[in-house]
Amino acid sequence: KQEVTQIPAALSVPEGENLVLNCSFTDSAIYNLQWFRQDPGKGLTSLLLIQSSQREQTSGRLNASLDKSSGRSTLYIAASQPGDSATYLCAVQNGGGSNYKLTFGKGTLLTVNP
Amino acid sequence: AAGVIQSPRHLIKEKRETATLKCYPIPRHDTVYWYQQGPGQDPQFLISFYEKMQSDKGSIPDRFSAQQFSDYHSELNMSSLELGDSALYFCASSPRPPLAGSTDTQYFGPGTRLTVL
């Protein structure tokens, strides 16, 4: 059974700092890994999707890496802003028979202080 | 761009009542997914449909049922509601079933917040 763990559970940084969020997963037979953003009580916004054959993806100030063999991914946020404050969720899509579902981590609650 | 539409956005029910949640996928998306997110929890996969057939099933209680209709919208029916069913229910859609090497993400709707009193 796939399990996804995110560290840290919460992070508070001053505006302008670069930061790294970590995600690990137990079953490396994945199709892809995604990072989502969730504002309180709101829906999920996909930030980056990394295919299993890729090593990293970049979008603006965000960079996500994937090391499939070791079951790890990181989300790097450069020059953080107060508007980046949200919960960041990592999710993996497994291959094989149950490849429809996303398995999520519990998220990292990020607070960027002005 | 069109997004996933969910209705209602908020729903309050009493214990043992029934509830029906609706999901309208992005046009030309034929795959629909349902997730449940309890307070302070991560989203948990419930069930998915591809071309109106159930494609995968997760931790969905027997009291819940779902289907996808000919116009690709989906409904999640919940009976004998319990306090523990209070959660945010997300629907997501994608243009096709997930395949190896796929770049298709699942596009999530805003969710239906169900409160069971």
Side-chain angles (χ1 to χ4, degrees), chain A residues 47-99:
Chain A
L47 299 173
L48 289 165
L49 181 150
I50 312 177
Q51 296 179 43
S52 59
S53 59
Q54 296 177 321
R55 299 284 293 184
E56 65 177 335
Q57 281 287 332
T58 297
S59 176
R61 294 183 293 108
L62 306 179
N63 175 277
S65 69
L66 174 65
D67 185 340
K68 184 182 165 185
S69 60
S70 68
R72 295 174 190 244
S73 175
T74 61
L75 179 66
Y76 175 83
I77 302 178
S80 58
Q81 303 171 358
D84 294 332
S85 298
T87 295
Y88 290 80
L89 292 159
C90 167
V92 298
Q93 189 152 35
N94 268 69
S98 186
N99 55 324

Side-chain angles (χ1 to χ4, degrees), chain A residues 31-32 34 36 38 41-46 49 51-53 89 93 97-107, chain B residues 31 33 35 37 41-43 45 48 50 55-56 88 90 97-106 108-110 113:
Chain A
Y31 276 179
N32 57 54
Q34 297 182 63
F36 289 87
Q38 185 174 31
K42 303 294 185 182
L44 300 167
T45 301
S46 180
L49 181 150
Q51 296 179 43
S52 59
S53 59
L89 292 159
Q93 189 152 35
S98 186
N99 55 324
Y100 282 79
K101 70 175 186 179
L102 293 177
T103 302
F104 287 83
K106 295 195 179 301
Chain B
T31 307
Y33 315 76
Y35 293 84
Q37 186 177 29
Q41 301 296 313
D42 52 300
F45 172 76
S48 64
Y50 166 59
S55 53
D56 200 357
L88 197 52
F90 290 110
L99 298 170
S102 169
T103 58
D104 293 326
T105 187
Q106 294 182 19
F108 281 76
R113 182 169 296 282

Side-chain angles (χ1 to χ4, degrees), chain B residues 2-102:
Chain B
V4 176
I5 297 172
Q6 291 189 246
S7 68
R9 294 292 309 278
H10 302 273
L11 190 58
I12 299 175
K13 291 285 185 178
E14 300 278 342
K15 281 196 310 184
R16 292 180 289 278
E17 285 191 324
T18 61
T20 297
L21 309 184
K22 297 185 179 183
C23 168
Y24 298 87
I26 293 172
R28 292 181 293 282
H29 283 199
D30 56 16
T31 307
V32 169
Y33 315 76
W34 285 97
Y35 293 84
Q36 176 192 58
Q37 186 177 29
Q41 301 296 313
D42 52 300
Q44 295 289 319
F45 172 76
L46 293 177
I47 196 166
S48 64
F49 293 89
Y50 166 59
E51 280 292 342
K52 294 154 279 185
M53 299 288 289
Q54 179 182 308
S55 53
D56 200 357
K57 191 173 181 179
S59 48
I60 183 169
D62 292 340
R63 299 177 290 107
F64 294 6
S65 65
Q67 57 182 325
Q68 186 180 31
F69 294 86
S70 58
D71 63 350
Y72 296 106
H73 94 272
S74 178
E75 295 183 4
L76 177 65
N77 298 293
M78 310 160 71
S79 63
S80 302
L81 288 170
E82 302 174 355
L83 296 178
D85 296 329
S86 295
L88 197 52
Y89 289 83
F90 290 110
C91 172
S93 73
S94 65
R96 61 189 64 83
L99 298 170
S102 169

